[in-house]
Amino acid sequence: MGISRTLARNKTLRYGVPMMLLIIGGSFGLSEFAQIRYDAFKLRGKVDPALEERIKKNKVTLESEYEKLKDANFDDWKNIRGPRPWEEPESVQEQQR
């Protein structure tokens, strides 16, 4: 009984040991989360070869898109808002047209 009471009063055992366990355990846990992050980054860089071929074929540049929009007439353009979640999409857009 006397030894357990002495150990319970000892500030090093009461506060220091749990703090050291938290710091050391946290570093191991953090390294696991960091490893998951790096593994996901490696997977993100890989692209499907078929998709990569399609990307290479479709050369769309900013200049080509500008040429398409340069001669467009936006004077008679009308803004139509999208439907709200509780409204039916077709009926709202037909009313606005």
Side-chain angles (χ1 to χ4, degrees), residues 31-85:
S31 67
E32 290 297 321
F33 282 116
Q35 188 62 41
I36 292 171
R37 176 182 168 198
Y38 295 133
D39 292 342
F41 184 73
K42 286 179 187 176
L43 291 176
R44 189 182 322 156
K46 296 179 181 175
V47 178
D48 185 33
L51 179 62
E52 191 173 348
E53 288 295 323
R54 285 183 54 198
I55 291 171
K56 286 181 181 179
K57 284 182 184 178
N58 295 336
K59 293 285 184 176
V60 178
T61 63
L62 187 61
E63 289 81 15
S64 66
E65 290 297 315
Y66 174 73
E67 292 298 325
K68 288 180 189 177
L69 292 175
K70 183 170 63 171
D71 298 327
N73 185 10
F74 293 113
D75 293 334
D76 59 347
W77 181 72
K78 183 178 179 185
N79 188 16
I80 299 176
R81 75 166 177 84
R84 295 194 172 108

Side-chain angles (χ1 to χ4, degrees), residues 8-20:
R9 288 183 187 168
N10 190 347
K11 287 186 178 184
T12 303
L13 290 177
R14 192 169 181 189
Y15 299 111
V17 172
M19 183 65 175
M20 292 305 291

